[in-house]
Each structure stands twice: as structure tokens, then as C-alpha cells.
Amino acid sequence: MIKKNRKPKKRTTFIKLFARNAVIGLLLTAVFAGVLFSAGKKYIFSQARSELYQKINSLQTSVSATDNMQSRSKESLISSLRFSANYNITLSADFQIASDYTENCTALVAITDEKGNILYSSRKGLQAIIRLNEEEEKESMLCNTEVLSIPELTQLEEDYYAMKNKETPDTYVHFNLLSAYVNSEKNSFIPHEAELNLIRFDPKGKKEDEVIETKQYNITMPDKENYILIEFNQSDSSSNYPIAVLDGFFGTDKYHFDELIHDKTIQQSVIPSQNLSIGFGTYGISSTVDIHHSTSNIWLDGERNFLVVIFKVDAWNSVTKPLYFRIVAIFLIIVLFIAFLDSWRRNVKNQAEYAFADYQKALTNHLAHDLKTPLMAISGYTENLIENKLSTTEKNKYLQSILDNIAYTDSIISRTLELNNMHELNSLKKEKIHVLSLVEQISEKYGLLLDKKNILLKISGQAEITADLDLLKTVIENLISNAVKYTVENGTIQIKINPKSCSISNTVSEKIDVAELKRPFKKGDTARSGKLGSGLGLSIADKAAEANHFRLILSCSDTEYIAKLIF
């Protein structure tokens, strides 16, 4: 059975290799992105539940302490709830990945009675820490905009939310309280003169803050009973009383608060009723948003009430989105870089294999071409010997020609095998070599030929190098042999040796193109054609030099040919 020849391996390019690796990299990135998304969401929700449990304990203690302090008013309790209406999930000590101020993330606290009526809540409202004198403790006072029907106050709140929507990464809203109606007993105040400012700041701190939008308010309170109008100190000194600091809106955004508190699922499973089970719960409203909630007993004024805490957590928020894409992008860049390096490595290996295959193919083609001439000559002489009646002299002439062509053919084959073996060297046997002694030893073999052509040989300099002796012999042998063959009669060969190089030059009759002279079977000009040489000597010398980690440089002028071996 005849076996079919295997098809040669299909060649590829760096672009194709990289494209193939890039596709694999993209698939890996897609898998990584999916795992990262799932793990990130799981981590955020897990941290939210953990913080919810901690928040319940903290609120229970805070509310109980407020209830036991008889001097505290309703406003003080609401203020405590507002400041507690937050959660913060961090990836590290300084990096927040889900907070109640990020998009679609909300924290809500409420105290209800057994019928589900909200008694106190964290719904956002205007608050300020006001100190009337040095002896007075810092107290957070509350402005209840829902109870007080003052159009200007309602407008101030609406303007505040409208200005907050204009905030950008380099701007913020500042609420400045100039004067207010204050009721110390109720821990309550009503703004009198105030202003809202939208301020642009320089993150690098090189420029002063710039007010880009401002609104001013002058609110008159109809019923001033138990309220005193107080103007606050606006200087930088904190010792000039009365002062109002940390002023602004605190608590759960009113729109988010109303959205959550009126949610049907919240109403059925969170807000207290006769069938409500006290405890924790979670339900998802989308693939990335979960509601974590808790309902627990709380006692106020000796009566049983319920503390309701709700966390609406969006794992895909304005902080996690860019962080997620940044991590995936970094992963993709790393994967593509690895794909690039792998493609480059494989391409270099492939190119070396392709080059060697092309070299072997060219070597075979050149060998076949160069063997045709002697074989045709042998064939012709043989036919003449068989078919013609020749004299003894003519027979001897033809036989000698046949022997010469056989010897030439054998020389070509031997030299080709020698060149081919240069690619299969596995290791070098390096040793100390006296270059001058080696050159003199090789030159002695060509003494008769030098005398016959009346060539003057000059050797100068000396050097000791570390190299593979057999390979160095091959290089020097081929270079000297080449010089002897192609030096014109009465010419000169000069061999100059130094620790960095060995230069062999010889006189020539015309300039030779050396660009491709180291290629197999390349004989240069017509002076180097015929049977004078095989065209393999310089190829063998070049490969032997490379194997020894040396370089062979060829050059030629109109009168001188130089082969320089760089150590």
C-alpha cells in the first residue's frame, strides 16, 4: 500500500497567530468579567447584610438612650435617626464601593407603631448644629419642613434638590445660614436669612473656590411664639457666639424615602402589622439591586414600637461601574500582552523553521543544479567510450575527465553535508586557542600552490581566544583556501591577527559583489564560476563562525578582497 505524502505544514504569520491568541484572550476576559461581576455582587450584598446587623444594634442603643433622656425632644430623636440613615460598603479602608450617596443606593430608618404608622423617620430635612453660647453643648437642631407650611421654606428645599442635581465631580452645594428663628426647648429652628451656593473647587488646591450659582432667601415666620430671631457669627473664629455649623440637609433623600416606604413588598413584609414576623429579610428587585431590611422591637415612653431599617443596595452603581470596567480592561490588556508575547515567540520560532526549510530547499535545488553539469559530462564521456572507436590516448583522456567530474561531484556532496551539519550542532567544546599558530599550521598546506602562483603570504599579529577548535579551523581553512584559489598570480595574501579579529585579504583582478556571497553555491562573478570552487566554502565558514558566536564580514574593492572574522 502506497502512503500518501504528507502535506507540508501550512505557514502562518504573526498577525494570524496574534488574532488566534487574541480570540482566546477575549474569551478568557469574558469568563473573568462574568466571575468578577458575580463575585463582586455577592461581596457587596454580603457586606450590606453584615452592616445591617451592626446598624440595628447601634440604633437600638441610640434610640433607647434618647428615650431615657427626658430633656430630649421629638426633634432630637428625628435628628438621631437621620444621622443613622446610612451605610458604607468598602473594598479597602479608603475605597467605598457602595454607599448611600451613590446612585440607586438608599438607607432608611423609621420608628412605627403597631398599626404601621410612622412616628419618626430619617426622611431628609434641614439640620444645623447651633451653639448660642460657650457653655451650651453642641446640639443638632431640626427644621421640620413638612409640618411648617411656609412657602419660602418649601421653595428653599426644592431649590436645594434642584441645585444638588447640578453637582459635578468638581462642584458642591453649600448651604449658609445667616440668621434663624430658634426654639432651644424643642431643638428646632426656622431659617430667616440663608443662601444656597453652587461652588466649583480645584481638586489640586491651586485655585480658590468659585461660586458659580447662588440663591438668597429671607423667610418671615408668621407665628414667632417660643422662637427667638438670632443672627449667627459669620467670621472664621469659632469663639464668637452664636454660631451655626454643619448646616444643610441630612437624612434619606425624600424621593427615595417615599419610593421605598410606599413599595408594596415593603408594606407587606417590613412595615409592622398583626401578621408581621420580627427579624431580617432580603429580596431582589433586579439582577443587581437588593433590598435588605430588618424589623425589631423598640420601646418608647413605655410603649412597644418597631424599629424599621431598610438598605436598598445597588451593586452596579456609579462607583462599581468604572471600577469593574477598569479591572476588566486591565485584565484584558494583560491577557493581550501575554498573547502578543506568545505570538511573537511562536512567530520567531516559526520564522526560524521556515527559514531553515527554505534554506534546505534552496540547498537541495542548488545541489541538484550543480550536479547536473558533471553528471551530464560523465554521461557524455561514457557514451563516447561505448559508441566510438577511440585511441588509447583519447580513452585515457575521457576516463580522466570522468574521474575529475566524479571527484568534483563528491566534493560538492561532501561540502553540502558539511554545511548541513552546521545546523545540527548541539554544544561547543571551547578551549584556549593561539590564533597565530592555527593560521600558520593551515597555511603550510597551501605552500606548493602559493609557490606555483607566485603569491606572497604575509602573516602578522597574534591573539589567544576561547573558542571551539574544530569550528574555528573550519572558518580559517575555508577563508585561506578561498584566498589562495582566487588570488591572481603574483598577488599578495595578508593575514592580520589581533585580540578582536582575524582579517584575511587578497589581491583580485576586479571588484566582486559580496552581498550574497555567503549564500550556498553563490560563486560571485564569472571569475568564480566553473569547477574552481563549489560555492560552499564561504557558506560553511559563515555558519561555523555563527556557531562559535563570531561574525564574518566580507568586503571588496577593485583590487582587494577582505574576509574579516570578528571574535
Side-chain angles (χ1 to χ4, degrees), residues 142-173:
L142 175 68
C143 175
N144 197 333
T145 56
E146 297 176 4
V147 176
L148 299 168
S149 300
I150 303 175
E152 294 89 345
L153 191 59
T154 304
Q155 184 62 48
L156 186 152
E157 185 177 19
E158 294 297 328
D159 290 345
Y160 173 81
Y161 285 114
M163 196 172 287
K164 285 290 286 184
N165 290 332
K166 297 179 182 179
E167 282 186 335
T168 60
D170 63 343
T171 61
Y172 66 94
V173 174

Side-chain angles (χ1 to χ4, degrees), residues 276-533:
L276 176 69
S277 298
I278 304 300
F280 303 95
T282 300
Y283 74 93
I285 59 176
S286 73
S287 60
T288 61
V289 181
D290 269 8
I291 299 291
H292 302 278
H293 56 83
S294 166
T295 304
S296 57
N297 291 317
I298 196 77
W299 297 87
L300 290 176
D301 299 327
E303 294 184 2
R304 182 196 183 200
N305 294 291
F306 298 95
L307 178 65
V308 176
V309 182
I310 302 172
F311 286 177
K312 182 181 181 184
V313 185
D314 185 4
W316 192 243
N317 57 66
S318 58
V319 175
T320 57
K321 283 179 186 177
L323 176 63
Y324 172 82
F325 286 120
R326 193 178 301 121
I327 294 173
V328 172
I330 291 172
F331 182 86
L332 177 60
I333 290 171
I334 293 173
V335 168
L336 290 180
F337 181 69
I338 294 173
F340 175 85
L341 291 180
D342 181 68
S343 302
W344 177 79
R345 179 189 63 81
R346 291 171 60 186
N347 184 63
V348 170
K349 182 180 178 182
N350 286 345
Q351 293 305 316
E353 292 178 355
Y354 300 156
F356 183 71
D358 292 340
Y359 171 81
Q360 294 282 51
K361 184 178 179 181
L363 192 65
T364 304
N365 291 338
H366 285 304
L367 178 62
H369 181 270
D370 275 38
L371 288 178
K372 281 183 180 180
T373 300
L375 289 176
M376 287 177 64
I378 292 171
S379 177
Y381 291 138
T382 304
E383 288 177 359
N384 286 336
L385 287 171
I386 293 173
E387 296 176 359
N388 299 321
K389 295 179 180 180
L390 304 173
S391 64
T392 301
T393 302
E394 289 176 326
K395 286 182 180 179
N396 289 336
K397 181 181 177 180
Y398 285 161
L399 288 173
Q400 186 60 48
S401 296
I402 290 173
L403 289 175
D404 290 344
N405 279 283
I406 290 174
Y408 177 66
T409 303
D410 180 65
S411 173
I412 291 178
I413 294 173
S414 298
R415 301 283 272 174
T416 302
L417 290 174
E418 183 180 2
L419 179 62
N420 194 51
N421 289 336
M422 291 293 171
H423 292 277
E424 300 176 2
L425 290 172
N426 295 320
S427 61
L428 301 179
K429 297 179 181 179
K430 292 193 173 185
E431 57 185 286
K432 293 285 185 179
I433 301 172
H434 293 278
V435 181
L436 177 60
S437 299
L438 180 62
V439 169
E440 290 177 339
Q441 177 187 342
I442 295 172
S443 300
E444 287 178 2
K445 297 193 298 183
Y446 297 93
L448 292 176
L449 188 55
L450 291 170
D451 292 340
K452 183 178 179 180
K453 297 178 68 176
N454 195 28
I455 296 173
L456 176 62
L457 174 63
K458 296 180 181 180
I459 303 175
S460 62
Q462 59 181 346
E464 185 179 72
I465 64 171
T466 302
D468 186 292
L469 179 59
D470 291 336
L471 288 174
L472 187 59
K473 274 185 179 180
T474 299
V475 179
I476 302 297
E477 174 80 40
N478 279 283
L479 293 181
I480 293 178
S481 172
N482 193 66
V484 173
K485 285 179 184 178
Y486 299 110
T487 300
V488 297
E489 291 187 4
N490 304 315
T492 302
I493 298 176
Q494 293 190 56
I495 303 177
K496 298 177 181 179
I497 305 167
N498 63 62
K500 293 185 177 180
S501 66
C502 176
S503 175
I504 301 175
S505 62
N506 61 282
T507 52
V508 292
S509 58
E510 60 181 355
K511 186 176 182 179
I512 301 167
D513 183 8
V514 298
E516 297 182 346
L517 208 54
K518 289 187 284 187
R519 290 178 55 188
F521 298 98
K522 192 68 177 179
K523 300 180 183 179
D525 62 0
T526 54
R528 296 190 172 211
S529 61
K531 297 179 185 178
L532 189 58

Side-chain angles (χ1 to χ4, degrees), residues 19-61:
R20 192 178 301 121
N21 282 345
V23 170
I24 296 174
L26 290 172
L27 292 175
L28 286 174
T29 303
V31 173
F32 172 78
V35 172
L36 178 65
F37 182 84
S38 178
K41 183 172 67 172
K42 185 177 180 180
Y43 172 82
I44 292 173
F45 290 158
S46 173
Q47 292 298 311
R49 285 191 293 273
S50 176
E51 187 158 335
L52 180 65
Y53 302 150
Q54 296 176 18
K55 181 70 69 176
I56 300 305
N57 294 331
S58 175
L59 282 168
Q60 288 276 10
T61 303

Side-chain angles (χ1 to χ4, degrees), residues 537-556:
L538 288 176
S539 296
I540 293 172
D542 184 53
K543 295 301 178 184
E546 286 183 0
N548 235 332
H549 306 297
F550 298 157
R551 284 191 302 137
L552 179 60
I553 300 175
L554 305 179
S555 62
C556 188

Side-chain angles (χ1 to χ4, degrees), residues 198-340:
L198 182 62
I199 299 175
R200 178 181 288 114
F201 67 95
D202 181 9
K204 297 181 179 180
K206 295 181 179 180
K207 298 180 181 179
E208 293 184 358
D209 291 353
E210 175 189 2
V211 178
I212 57 178
E213 183 179 346
T214 185
K215 287 181 181 275
Q216 296 181 339
Y217 303 90
N218 193 317
I219 300 172
T220 301
M221 186 175 178
D223 183 8
K224 300 179 183 178
E225 184 178 355
N226 298 325
Y227 281 86
I228 301 172
L229 180 61
I230 297 175
E231 292 187 4
F232 300 112
N233 172 43
Q234 300 298 314
S235 68
D236 295 333
S237 175
S238 59
S239 60
N240 295 330
Y241 297 95
I243 56 175
V245 294
L246 296 179
D247 42 332
F249 288 83
F250 294 90
T252 307
D253 183 278
K254 65 176 186 177
Y255 302 113
H256 291 160
F257 183 94
D258 292 342
E259 176 190 11
L260 279 178
I261 211 69
H262 295 114
D263 183 271
K264 291 183 179 179
T265 305
I266 294 290
Q267 289 285 343
Q268 294 172 2
S269 59
V270 181
I271 303 301
S273 64
Q274 292 181 354
N275 300 322
L276 176 69
S277 298
I278 304 300
F280 303 95
T282 300
Y283 74 93
I285 59 176
S286 73
S287 60
T288 61
V289 181
D290 269 8
I291 299 291
H292 302 278
H293 56 83
S294 166
T295 304
S296 57
N297 291 317
I298 196 77
W299 297 87
L300 290 176
D301 299 327
E303 294 184 2
R304 182 196 183 200
N305 294 291
F306 298 95
L307 178 65
V308 176
V309 182
I310 302 172
F311 286 177
K312 182 181 181 184
V313 185
D314 185 4
W316 192 243
N317 57 66
S318 58
V319 175
T320 57
K321 283 179 186 177
L323 176 63
Y324 172 82
F325 286 120
R326 193 178 301 121
I327 294 173
V328 172
I330 291 172
F331 182 86
L332 177 60
I333 290 171
I334 293 173
V335 168
L336 290 180
F337 181 69
I338 294 173
F340 175 85

